[in-house]
Amino acid sequence: MIDIVKAVQGADPSLGTYVIVLRSDSRALDGSEKLSAEAQSWLAANAPGGRLARVKIQLAPYPGAGPAERDVTVMAFAEARELAAFATHWTGDPMEDE
């Protein structure tokens, strides 16, 4: 995962230091290129410095392989606190109410 983040930061330095790469099946996404309405509302209330981006990177699919071009969906944040809150809320599996 660290290699992907470094590749993203190298491909688009304007995203800053606090980035997280989202899987295509992320609950926060409504398709690969936009956030769900719920995620947009959550960001506005909890991480207003967050933004979604698509970035083209070069990444080896496994150690020792040649790099291949890949598009990834990235959330970039203004502060580490915002990234941590987003990751806690949106990247884990939702817990069922007991």
Side-chain angles (χ1 to χ4, degrees):
M1 182 58 95
I2 291 171
D3 291 344
I4 296 173
V5 170
K6 285 187 178 203
V8 165
Q9 291 170 328
D12 188 348
S14 74
L15 295 174
T17 303
Y18 307 112
V19 298
I20 186 169
V21 178
L22 300 179
R23 292 177 11 169
S24 59
D25 63 350
S26 170
R27 293 182 298 116
L29 296 176
D30 182 11
S32 64
E33 298 196 20
K34 70 178 198 171
L35 292 169
S36 68
E38 183 182 359
Q40 289 175 17
S41 294
W42 186 93
L43 276 176
N46 299 286
R51 66 182 174 111
L52 185 69
R54 291 281 290 169
V55 180
K56 191 175 297 286
I57 62 171
Q58 292 285 323
L59 186 67
Y62 55 88
E69 191 169 81
R70 182 174 166 188
D71 287 318
V72 292
T73 304
V74 177
M75 284 297 305
F77 298 91
E79 302 175 6
R81 178 197 59 78
E82 291 179 338
L83 184 149
F86 180 87
T88 300
H89 189 85
W90 290 100
T91 64
D93 290 329
M95 296 175 57
E96 295 182 26
D97 293 332
E98 296 180 332

Coordinates of all heavy atoms in Angstrom, one line a residue:
M1 N 0.8 -1.2 0.0 CA 0.0 0.0 0.0 C 0.9 1.3 0.0 O 0.5 2.2 -0.6 CB -0.9 0.0 1.2 CG -1.9 1.2 1.2 SD -2.9 1.4 -0.2 CE -4.4 0.5 0.4
I2 N 2.0 1.2 0.7 CA 2.9 2.4 0.7 C 3.4 2.7 -0.7 O 3.5 3.9 -1.0 CB 4.0 2.2 1.7 CG1 3.5 2.1 3.2 CG2 5.1 3.2 1.6 CD1 4.5 1.7 4.2
D3 N 3.7 1.7 -1.5 CA 4.1 1.9 -2.8 C 3.1 2.7 -3.6 O 3.4 3.5 -4.4 CB 4.5 0.6 -3.5 CG 5.7 0.0 -2.9 OD1 6.5 0.6 -2.2 OD2 5.9 -1.2 -3.2
I4 N 1.8 2.3 -3.5 CA 0.7 3.0 -4.2 C 0.6 4.4 -3.8 O 0.5 5.3 -4.6 CB -0.6 2.2 -4.0 CG1 -0.5 0.8 -4.6 CG2 -1.7 3.0 -4.7 CD1 -1.7 -0.1 -4.3
V5 N 0.7 4.7 -2.5 CA 0.6 6.1 -2.0 C 1.7 6.9 -2.5 O 1.6 8.0 -3.0 CB 0.5 6.1 -0.5 CG1 0.7 7.5 0.1 CG2 -0.8 5.5 0.0
K6 N 3.0 6.3 -2.5 CA 4.1 7.1 -3.0 C 4.0 7.3 -4.5 O 4.3 8.4 -5.0 CB 5.4 6.3 -2.7 CG 5.8 6.4 -1.3 CD 7.1 5.8 -1.0 CE 7.5 5.9 0.4 NZ 8.9 5.9 0.7
A7 N 3.5 6.4 -5.3 CA 3.3 6.6 -6.7 C 2.2 7.7 -6.9 O 2.4 8.5 -7.9 CB 2.8 5.2 -7.4
V8 N 1.2 7.7 -6.1 CA 0.1 8.7 -6.3 C 0.7 10.1 -6.0 O 0.5 11.0 -6.7 CB -1.1 8.4 -5.3 CG1 -2.0 9.6 -5.2 CG2 -1.9 7.2 -5.9
Q9 N 1.5 10.2 -4.9 CA 2.1 11.5 -4.5 C 3.1 12.0 -5.6 O 3.2 13.1 -5.9 CB 2.7 11.4 -3.2 CG 1.7 11.2 -2.0 CD 2.3 10.9 -0.7 OE1 3.3 10.3 -0.6 NE2 1.7 11.4 0.4
G10 N 3.8 11.0 -6.2 CA 4.7 11.4 -7.2 C 4.0 11.8 -8.5 O 4.5 12.7 -9.2
A11 N 2.9 11.2 -8.8 CA 2.1 11.5 -10.1 C 1.4 12.8 -9.9 O 1.2 13.5 -10.9 CB 1.2 10.4 -10.4
D12 N 0.9 13.1 -8.7 CA 0.2 14.4 -8.5 C 0.5 15.0 -7.2 O -0.2 14.8 -6.2 CB -1.3 14.1 -8.6 CG -2.1 15.4 -8.6 OD1 -1.6 16.5 -8.4 OD2 -3.4 15.3 -8.9
P13 N 1.6 15.7 -7.1 CA 2.0 16.4 -5.9 C 1.0 17.3 -5.3 O 1.0 17.6 -4.1 CB 3.3 17.1 -6.2 CG 3.8 16.5 -7.5 CD 2.6 16.0 -8.2
S14 N 0.1 17.8 -6.1 CA -0.9 18.8 -5.6 C -1.8 18.1 -4.6 O -2.5 18.8 -3.9 CB -1.7 19.4 -6.7 OG -2.6 18.5 -7.3
L15 N -1.9 16.8 -4.5 CA -2.8 16.1 -3.6 C -2.2 16.2 -2.2 O -3.0 16.0 -1.2 CB -2.9 14.6 -4.0 CG -3.6 14.4 -5.3 CD1 -3.6 12.9 -5.6 CD2 -5.0 14.9 -5.3
G16 N -1.0 16.5 -2.0 CA -0.4 16.7 -0.7 C 0.0 15.4 0.0 O 0.1 14.3 -0.6
T17 N 0.2 15.5 1.3 CA 0.7 14.3 2.1 C -0.3 13.3 2.5 O 0.0 12.2 2.6 CB 1.4 14.9 3.3 OG1 2.4 15.8 2.9 CG2 2.1 13.8 4.2
Y18 N -1.5 13.8 2.7 CA -2.5 13.0 3.4 C -3.5 12.4 2.3 O -4.5 13.0 2.0 CB -3.3 13.8 4.4 CG -2.4 14.4 5.4 CD1 -2.2 15.8 5.5 CD2 -1.6 13.6 6.3 CE1 -1.4 16.4 6.4 CE2 -0.7 14.2 7.2 CZ -0.6 15.6 7.2 OH 0.2 16.2 8.1
V19 N -3.1 11.2 1.8 CA -3.9 10.6 0.7 C -4.2 9.1 1.1 O -3.4 8.5 1.8 CB -3.3 10.6 -0.6 CG1 -3.1 12.1 -1.1 CG2 -1.9 9.9 -0.7
I20 N -5.4 8.7 0.6 CA -5.7 7.3 0.8 C -6.3 6.8 -0.5 O -7.1 7.5 -1.2 CB -6.8 7.1 2.0 CG1 -7.0 5.6 2.2 CG2 -8.0 7.9 1.7 CD1 -7.8 5.4 3.5
V21 N -5.9 5.6 -1.0 CA -6.3 5.1 -2.2 C -7.5 4.2 -1.9 O -7.5 3.3 -1.1 CB -5.2 4.3 -2.9 CG1 -5.7 3.6 -4.2 CG2 -4.0 5.1 -3.2
L22 N -8.6 4.4 -2.6 CA -9.8 3.7 -2.4 C -9.9 2.5 -3.4 O -9.6 2.6 -4.5 CB -11.1 4.6 -2.6 CG -11.1 5.8 -1.7 CD1 -12.4 6.6 -2.1 CD2 -11.2 5.4 -0.3
R23 N -10.4 1.4 -2.8 CA -10.7 0.3 -3.7 C -12.0 0.6 -4.5 O -12.8 1.4 -4.1 CB -11.0 -1.0 -2.8 CG -9.8 -1.5 -2.1 CD -10.0 -2.6 -1.2 NE -11.3 -3.3 -1.4 CZ -11.6 -4.4 -0.8 NH1 -10.8 -5.0 0.0 NH2 -12.8 -5.0 -1.0
S24 N -12.1 -0.1 -5.6 CA -13.3 0.2 -6.5 C -14.6 -0.2 -5.9 O -15.6 0.4 -6.2 CB -13.1 -0.6 -7.8 OG -13.1 -2.0 -7.6
D25 N -14.6 -1.0 -4.9 CA -15.8 -1.4 -4.2 C -16.0 -0.6 -2.9 O -16.8 -1.0 -2.0 CB -15.9 -2.9 -3.9 CG -14.8 -3.4 -3.0 OD1 -13.8 -2.7 -2.7 OD2 -14.8 -4.6 -2.6
S26 N -15.3 0.5 -2.7 CA -15.4 1.3 -1.5 C -16.9 1.7 -1.3 O -17.6 2.2 -2.2 CB -14.5 2.5 -1.6 OG -14.8 3.4 -0.5
R27 N -17.3 1.7 0.0 CA -18.7 2.1 0.3 C -18.9 3.6 0.1 O -20.0 4.1 -0.1 CB -19.0 1.9 1.8 CG -19.1 0.4 2.2 CD -19.5 0.2 3.6 NE -18.5 0.7 4.6 CZ -18.7 1.7 5.4 NH1 -19.9 2.3 5.5 NH2 -17.7 2.1 6.2
A28 N -17.8 4.4 0.0 CA -17.8 5.8 -0.2 C -18.1 6.2 -1.6 O -18.4 7.3 -1.9 CB -16.5 6.5 0.3
L29 N -17.9 5.3 -2.5 CA -18.0 5.6 -3.9 C -19.4 5.2 -4.5 O -20.0 4.2 -4.2 CB -16.9 4.9 -4.7 CG -15.5 5.3 -4.4 CD1 -14.5 4.4 -5.2 CD2 -15.3 6.7 -4.7
D30 N -19.8 6.1 -5.5 CA -20.9 5.8 -6.3 C -20.4 5.7 -7.7 O -20.4 6.6 -8.5 CB -22.0 6.9 -6.2 CG -23.2 6.6 -7.0 OD1 -23.4 5.5 -7.5 OD2 -24.0 7.6 -7.1
G31 N -19.8 4.5 -8.1 CA -19.1 4.4 -9.3 C -17.6 4.7 -9.0 O -17.3 5.1 -7.8
S32 N -16.7 4.6 -9.9 CA -15.3 4.8 -9.7 C -14.9 6.3 -9.7 O -13.8 6.6 -9.2 CB -14.5 4.1 -10.7 OG -14.7 4.6 -12.0
E33 N -15.8 7.2 -10.1 CA -15.4 8.6 -10.3 C -16.1 9.6 -9.5 O -15.9 10.8 -9.6 CB -15.4 8.9 -11.8 CG -14.4 8.1 -12.5 CD -14.1 8.6 -13.9 OE1 -14.3 9.8 -14.2 OE2 -13.7 7.8 -14.7
K34 N -17.0 9.1 -8.6 CA -17.7 10.1 -7.7 C -18.1 9.5 -6.4 O -18.2 8.3 -6.3 CB -18.9 10.7 -8.4 CG -20.1 9.8 -8.6 CD -21.2 10.6 -9.3 CE -22.5 9.9 -9.1 NZ -23.6 10.7 -9.5
L35 N -18.2 10.4 -5.4 CA -18.6 9.9 -4.1 C -20.1 9.7 -4.0 O -20.8 10.4 -4.7 CB -18.2 11.0 -3.0 CG -16.7 11.1 -2.8 CD1 -16.4 12.4 -2.0 CD2 -16.1 9.9 -2.2
S36 N -20.5 8.8 -3.1 CA -21.9 8.7 -2.9 C -22.5 9.9 -2.2 O -21.7 10.7 -1.6 CB -22.2 7.4 -2.0 OG -21.7 7.7 -0.7
A37 N -23.8 10.1 -2.3 CA -24.4 11.3 -1.6 C -24.1 11.2 -0.1 O -23.8 12.3 0.5 CB -25.9 11.3 -1.9
E38 N -24.1 10.1 0.5 CA -23.9 9.9 1.9 C -22.4 10.3 2.3 O -22.2 11.0 3.2 CB -24.2 8.5 2.4 CG -24.0 8.3 3.9 CD -24.2 6.8 4.3 OE1 -24.5 6.0 3.5 OE2 -24.0 6.6 5.5
A39 N -21.5 9.9 1.4 CA -20.1 10.2 1.7 C -19.8 11.7 1.5 O -19.1 12.3 2.2 CB -19.2 9.4 0.7
Q40 N -20.5 12.3 0.5 CA -20.4 13.8 0.3 C -20.9 14.5 1.5 O -20.2 15.5 2.0 CB -21.1 14.2 -1.0 CG -20.5 13.7 -2.2 CD -21.3 14.1 -3.5 OE1 -22.2 14.9 -3.4 NE2 -21.0 13.4 -4.6
S41 N -22.0 14.1 2.1 CA -22.5 14.8 3.3 C -21.6 14.6 4.4 O -21.4 15.5 5.2 CB -23.9 14.2 3.6 OG -24.8 14.5 2.6
W42 N -21.1 13.4 4.6 CA -20.2 13.1 5.7 C -18.9 14.0 5.6 O -18.5 14.5 6.6 CB -19.8 11.6 5.7 CG -19.0 11.2 6.9 CD1 -19.4 10.7 8.1 CD2 -17.6 11.3 7.0 NE1 -18.4 10.6 9.0 CE2 -17.2 10.9 8.3 CE3 -16.5 11.8 6.2 CZ2 -15.9 10.9 8.8 CZ3 -15.2 11.8 6.7 CH2 -14.9 11.3 8.0
L43 N -18.4 14.1 4.4 CA -17.2 14.9 4.2 C -17.4 16.4 4.5 O -16.6 17.0 5.2 CB -16.7 14.8 2.7 CG -15.8 13.7 2.3 CD1 -15.5 13.7 0.9 CD2 -14.5 13.7 3.1
A44 N -18.6 16.9 4.1 CA -18.9 18.3 4.4 C -19.0 18.5 5.9 O -18.5 19.6 6.4 CB -20.2 18.7 3.7
A45 N -19.5 17.6 6.6 CA -19.6 17.7 8.1 C -18.3 17.4 8.9 O -18.1 18.0 9.9 CB -20.7 16.8 8.6
N46 N -17.5 16.5 8.4 CA -16.4 15.9 9.2 C -15.0 16.2 8.6 O -14.0 16.1 9.4 CB -16.6 14.4 9.4 CG -17.9 14.1 10.1 OD1 -18.0 14.3 11.3 ND2 -18.9 13.6 9.4
A47 N -14.9 16.4 7.3 CA -13.6 16.5 6.7 C -13.7 17.4 5.5 O -13.5 17.0 4.3 CB -13.0 15.2 6.3
P48 N -14.0 18.7 5.7 CA -14.2 19.6 4.6 C -13.0 19.8 3.7 O -13.1 20.3 2.6 CB -14.6 20.9 5.3 CG -14.2 20.8 6.7 CD -14.2 19.4 7.0
G49 N -11.8 19.5 4.2 CA -10.6 19.6 3.4 C -10.4 18.4 2.5 O -9.4 18.3 1.7
G50 N -11.4 17.4 2.4 CA -11.2 16.2 1.6 C -11.7 16.4 0.2 O -12.6 17.2 -0.1
R51 N -11.0 15.8 -0.7 CA -11.4 15.8 -2.1 C -11.1 14.5 -2.8 O -10.1 13.8 -2.5 CB -10.8 17.0 -2.9 CG -9.3 16.9 -3.1 CD -8.8 18.2 -3.8 NE -7.4 18.2 -3.8 CZ -6.7 18.1 -5.0 NH1 -7.3 17.9 -6.1 NH2 -5.4 18.1 -5.0
L52 N -11.9 14.2 -3.8 CA -11.7 13.0 -4.6 C -10.9 13.3 -5.8 O -11.1 14.3 -6.5 CB -13.1 12.4 -5.0 CG -13.1 11.1 -5.7 CD1 -12.7 9.9 -4.7 CD2 -14.5 10.8 -6.2
A53 N -10.1 12.3 -6.2 CA -9.3 12.5 -7.5 C -9.1 11.2 -8.1 O -9.1 10.1 -7.4 CB -8.0 13.2 -7.2
R54 N -8.9 11.2 -9.4 CA -8.5 10.0 -10.2 C -7.0 10.3 -10.6 O -6.8 11.3 -11.2 CB -9.4 9.7 -11.4 CG -10.8 9.3 -11.1 CD -10.9 7.9 -10.7 NE -10.7 7.0 -11.9 CZ -10.5 5.7 -11.8 NH1 -10.6 5.1 -10.6 NH2 -10.3 5.0 -12.9
V55 N -6.2 9.3 -10.4 CA -4.7 9.5 -10.7 C -4.2 8.3 -11.5 O -4.5 7.2 -11.2 CB -3.9 9.7 -9.4 CG1 -2.4 9.9 -9.7 CG2 -4.4 10.8 -8.6
K56 N -3.5 8.6 -12.5 CA -2.8 7.6 -13.4 C -1.4 7.4 -12.8 O -0.6 8.3 -12.7 CB -2.8 8.0 -14.8 CG -2.4 7.0 -15.8 CD -2.5 7.5 -17.2 CE -3.9 7.8 -17.6 NZ -4.9 6.8 -17.9
I57 N -1.1 6.1 -12.4 CA 0.2 5.8 -11.9 C 0.8 4.6 -12.6 O 0.1 3.9 -13.3 CB 0.1 5.5 -10.4 CG1 -0.8 4.3 -10.1 CG2 -0.4 6.7 -9.6 CD1 -0.7 3.8 -8.7
Q58 N 2.1 4.5 -12.4 CA 2.9 3.3 -12.9 C 3.1 2.4 -11.6 O 3.6 2.9 -10.6 CB 4.2 3.7 -13.5 CG 4.1 4.5 -14.8 CD 3.7 3.6 -15.9 OE1 4.1 2.4 -16.0 NE2 2.8 4.1 -16.8
L59 N 2.7 1.2 -11.7 CA 2.8 0.3 -10.5 C 3.0 -1.1 -11.0 O 2.3 -1.6 -11.8 CB 1.5 0.4 -9.7 CG 1.5 -0.3 -8.3 CD1 2.5 0.3 -7.4 CD2 0.1 -0.3 -7.7
A60 N 4.0 -1.8 -10.3 CA 4.2 -3.2 -10.6 C 3.1 -4.0 -9.9 O 2.8 -3.8 -8.8 CB 5.6 -3.7 -10.1
P61 N 2.5 -5.0 -10.7 CA 1.4 -5.8 -10.1 C 1.9 -6.7 -9.0 O 1.2 -7.2 -8.1 CB 0.9 -6.6 -11.2 CG 1.9 -6.6 -12.3 CD 2.7 -5.3 -12.0
Y62 N 3.2 -7.1 -9.0 CA 3.8 -7.9 -7.9 C 5.3 -7.6 -7.9 O 5.9 -7.1 -8.9 CB 3.5 -9.4 -8.1 CG 3.9 -9.9 -9.5 CD1 5.2 -10.4 -9.7 CD2 3.0 -9.9 -10.5 CE1 5.6 -10.9 -11.0 CE2 3.4 -10.4 -11.8 CZ 4.7 -10.8 -12.0 OH 5.0 -11.3 -13.2
P63 N 6.0 -7.9 -6.8 CA 7.5 -7.6 -6.8 C 8.2 -8.3 -7.9 O 8.0 -9.5 -8.2 CB 7.9 -8.2 -5.4 CG 6.6 -8.2 -4.6 CD 5.5 -8.4 -5.6
G64 N 9.1 -7.5 -8.6 CA 9.9 -8.1 -9.6 C 9.3 -7.9 -11.0 O 9.9 -8.0 -12.0
A65 N 8.0 -7.6 -11.1 CA 7.3 -7.4 -12.4 C 7.6 -6.0 -12.8 O 7.8 -5.1 -12.1 CB 5.8 -7.6 -12.2
G66 N 7.4 -5.8 -14.1 CA 7.5 -4.4 -14.7 C 6.3 -3.6 -14.4 O 5.2 -4.1 -14.2
P67 N 6.5 -2.3 -14.2 CA 5.3 -1.5 -13.9 C 4.3 -1.4 -15.0 O 4.7 -1.4 -16.2 CB 5.9 -0.1 -13.6 CG 7.3 -0.1 -14.2 CD 7.7 -1.5 -14.3
A68 N 3.1 -1.2 -14.7 CA 2.0 -1.1 -15.6 C 1.2 0.2 -15.3 O 1.1 0.5 -14.1 CB 1.1 -2.3 -15.7
E69 N 0.6 0.8 -16.3 CA -0.2 2.0 -16.0 C -1.5 1.6 -15.4 O -2.1 0.6 -15.8 CB -0.5 2.8 -17.3 CG -1.1 4.1 -17.0 CD -1.0 4.9 -18.3 OE1 -1.9 4.7 -19.1 OE2 -0.1 5.7 -18.5
R70 N -1.9 2.3 -14.4 CA -3.1 2.0 -13.6 C -3.8 3.3 -13.2 O -3.1 4.2 -12.7 CB -2.7 1.1 -12.4 CG -3.9 0.7 -11.6 CD -3.3 -0.3 -10.6 NE -4.3 -0.5 -9.5 CZ -4.0 -1.2 -8.4 NH1 -2.9 -1.7 -8.2 NH2 -5.0 -1.3 -7.5
D71 N -5.1 3.4 -13.3 CA -5.9 4.5 -12.8 C -6.4 4.1 -11.4 O -7.0 3.0 -11.2 CB -7.1 4.8 -13.6 CG -6.7 5.5 -14.9 OD1 -5.8 6.4 -14.9 OD2 -7.3 5.1 -16.0
V72 N -6.2 5.0 -10.4 CA -6.7 4.8 -9.0 C -7.5 5.9 -8.6 O -7.3 7.1 -9.0 CB -5.5 4.5 -8.1 CG1 -4.8 3.2 -8.4 CG2 -4.5 5.7 -8.0
T73 N -8.4 5.6 -7.7 CA -9.3 6.6 -7.1 C -8.7 7.0 -5.7 O -8.4 6.1 -4.9 CB -10.7 6.1 -6.9 OG1 -11.2 5.7 -8.2 CG2 -11.7 7.2 -6.4
V74 N -8.5 8.3 -5.5 CA -7.8 8.7 -4.3 C -8.7 9.8 -3.6 O -9.3 10.6 -4.2 CB -6.5 9.4 -4.7 CG1 -5.7 10.0 -3.5 CG2 -5.6 8.4 -5.5
M75 N -8.6 9.7 -2.2 CA -9.1 10.8 -1.4 C -7.9 11.5 -0.8 O -7.0 10.9 -0.3 CB -10.0 10.3 -0.2 CG -11.4 9.8 -0.6 SD -12.4 11.1 -1.3 CE -12.4 12.4 0.0
A76 N -7.9 12.8 -1.0 CA -6.8 13.6 -0.5 C -7.4 14.6 0.6 O -8.5 15.0 0.5 CB -6.2 14.5 -1.6
F77 N -6.6 14.8 1.7 CA -7.1 15.6 2.8 C -6.1 16.7 3.2 O -4.9 16.5 3.0 CB -7.4 14.7 4.0 CG -8.4 13.6 3.7 CD1 -8.0 12.4 3.3 CD2 -9.7 13.9 4.0 CE1 -9.0 11.4 3.0 CE2 -10.7 12.9 3.7 CZ -10.3 11.7 3.2
A78 N -6.7 17.7 3.8 CA -5.8 18.8 4.2 C -5.1 18.5 5.5 O -4.0 19.1 5.7 CB -6.7 20.1 4.4
E79 N -5.7 17.6 6.3 CA -5.1 17.3 7.6 C -5.1 15.8 7.9 O -6.0 15.1 7.4 CB -5.9 18.0 8.7 CG -6.0 19.4 8.6 CD -7.0 20.0 9.7 OE1 -7.4 19.2 10.6 OE2 -7.3 21.2 9.7
A80 N -4.1 15.3 8.7 CA -4.1 13.9 9.0 C -5.3 13.5 9.8 O -5.8 12.4 9.6 CB -2.8 13.7 9.9
R81 N -5.9 14.4 10.6 CA -7.1 14.1 11.4 C -8.2 13.8 10.4 O -9.0 12.8 10.7 CB -7.4 15.3 12.3 CG -8.7 15.1 13.1 CD -9.3 16.4 13.6 NE -9.6 17.4 12.6 CZ -10.7 17.4 11.8 NH1 -11.6 16.4 12.0 NH2 -10.9 18.3 10.9
E82 N -8.4 14.5 9.3 CA -9.5 14.2 8.4 C -9.3 12.9 7.7 O -10.2 12.1 7.6 CB -9.5 15.3 7.3 CG -10.0 16.7 7.9 CD -10.0 17.7 6.8 OE1 -9.3 17.6 5.8 OE2 -10.7 18.7 7.0
L83 N -8.0 12.6 7.3 CA -7.8 11.3 6.7 C -8.1 10.1 7.7 O -8.8 9.2 7.3 CB -6.3 11.1 6.3 CG -5.9 9.9 5.6 CD1 -4.8 10.1 4.6 CD2 -5.5 8.8 6.5
A84 N -7.7 10.3 9.0 CA -8.0 9.2 10.0 C -9.5 9.0 10.2 O -9.9 7.9 10.3 CB -7.3 9.6 11.3
A85 N -10.2 10.1 10.3 CA -11.6 10.0 10.5 C -12.3 9.4 9.3 O -13.2 8.5 9.4 CB -12.2 11.4 10.7
F86 N -11.9 9.7 8.1 CA -12.5 9.1 6.9 C -12.2 7.6 6.8 O -13.0 6.8 6.6 CB -11.9 9.8 5.6 CG -12.5 9.2 4.3 CD1 -13.6 9.7 3.8 CD2 -11.8 8.2 3.7 CE1 -14.2 9.2 2.6 CE2 -12.3 7.7 2.5 CZ -13.5 8.2 2.0
A87 N -10.9 7.3 7.1 CA -10.5 5.9 7.0 C -11.3 5.1 8.1 O -11.7 4.0 7.8 CB -9.0 5.8 7.2
T88 N -11.4 5.6 9.2 CA -12.2 4.9 10.3 C -13.6 4.7 9.9 O -14.2 3.6 10.1 CB -12.1 5.7 11.6 OG1 -10.7 5.8 12.0 CG2 -12.9 5.0 12.7
H89 N -14.2 5.7 9.3 CA -15.7 5.6 9.0 C -15.9 4.9 7.7 O -16.9 4.1 7.6 CB -16.2 7.0 8.9 CG -17.7 7.0 8.8 ND1 -18.5 7.0 9.9 CD2 -18.5 7.1 7.7 CE1 -19.8 7.0 9.5 NE2 -19.8 7.0 8.2
W90 N -15.1 5.0 6.7 CA -15.5 4.6 5.3 C -14.7 3.3 4.8 O -15.1 2.7 3.8 CB -15.3 5.7 4.3 CG -16.4 6.7 4.5 CD1 -16.3 7.9 5.2 CD2 -17.8 6.6 4.1 NE1 -17.5 8.6 5.2 CE2 -18.4 7.8 4.6 CE3 -18.5 5.6 3.5 CZ2 -19.8 8.0 4.3 CZ3 -19.8 5.9 3.2 CH2 -20.5 7.0 3.7
T91 N -13.6 3.0 5.4 CA -12.9 1.9 4.8 C -13.1 0.5 5.5 O -12.7 -0.5 4.9 CB -11.3 2.2 4.7 OG1 -10.8 2.3 6.1 CG2 -11.1 3.4 3.9
G92 N -13.6 0.5 6.7 CA -13.9 -0.8 7.3 C -15.3 -1.3 6.9 O -16.1 -0.5 6.4
D93 N -15.5 -2.5 7.3 CA -16.9 -3.0 7.0 C -17.8 -2.4 8.1 O -17.4 -2.3 9.3 CB -16.9 -4.6 7.2 CG -16.1 -5.2 6.0 OD1 -16.1 -4.7 4.9 OD2 -15.6 -6.3 6.2
P94 N -19.0 -2.0 7.7 CA -19.9 -1.5 8.7 C -20.3 -2.5 9.8 O -20.4 -3.7 9.5 CB -21.1 -1.1 7.9 CG -21.0 -1.8 6.6 CD -19.6 -2.2 6.4
M95 N -20.3 -2.0 11.0 CA -20.7 -2.9 12.1 C -22.2 -3.0 12.2 O -22.9 -2.0 12.2 CB -20.0 -2.5 13.4 CG -18.5 -2.5 13.3 SD -17.7 -1.8 14.8 CE -18.4 -2.8 16.1
E96 N -22.7 -4.2 12.3 CA -24.1 -4.4 12.5 C -24.5 -4.0 13.9 O -23.8 -4.3 14.8 CB -24.5 -5.8 12.2 CG -24.3 -6.2 10.7 CD -24.7 -7.6 10.4 OE1 -25.6 -8.1 11.1 OE2 -24.2 -8.2 9.5
D97 N -25.7 -3.4 14.0 CA -26.2 -3.1 15.4 C -26.5 -4.4 16.1 O -27.0 -5.3 15.6 CB -27.5 -2.2 15.3 CG -27.2 -0.9 14.7 OD1 -26.1 -0.4 14.8 OD2 -28.1 -0.3 14.1
E98 N -26.1 -4.4 17.4 CA -26.4 -5.5 18.2 C -27.8 -5.5 18.8 O -28.3 -4.5 19.1 CB -25.4 -5.7 19.3 CG -24.0 -5.9 18.7 CD -22.9 -6.0 19.8 OE1 -23.1 -5.5 20.9 OE2 -21.9 -6.7 19.5

